[in-house]
Amino acid sequence: MIAQNQKEFLINRIVDKLTEFLVIDSNVNLTDALKVVYNSRVYQQLQDSDCGLYAQSPSYIYELLKQEIDLN
């Protein structure tokens, strides 16, 4: 089982990358990109230890986020 601090590190890294991807792809500012990420179902799933989404790549998770917010 992964330690809590390792999980938090992975989630923070993923949030950073998702935010970066949104800023670049959607041309939104940092604050708005963070709001999108933190208010998404994807973020809720990242927090769920049973789901294990935090162990996936940021690119994969970004694809899920894009589907959720209909960015495609």
Side-chain angles (χ1 to χ4, degrees), residues 30-41:
L30 182 62
T31 303
D32 289 340
L34 284 167
K35 286 178 186 177
V36 169
V37 172
Y38 283 120
N39 290 312
S40 69
R41 285 178 302 206

Side-chain angles (χ1 to χ4, degrees), residues 2 4 7-8 12 15 19 33-34 46 54 56-57 67:
I2 191 167
Q4 183 64 28
K7 178 184 164 192
E8 289 172 8
N12 289 336
V15 168
T19 303
L34 284 167
L46 279 172
Y54 60 86
Q56 301 298 321
S57 75
Q67 288 176 9

Side-chain angles (χ1 to χ4, degrees), residues 19-36:
T19 303
E20 178 184 341
F21 293 153
L22 275 175
V23 167
I24 292 168
D25 289 351
S26 302
N27 204 23
V28 297
N29 65 42
L30 182 62
T31 303
D32 289 340
L34 284 167
K35 286 178 186 177
V36 169

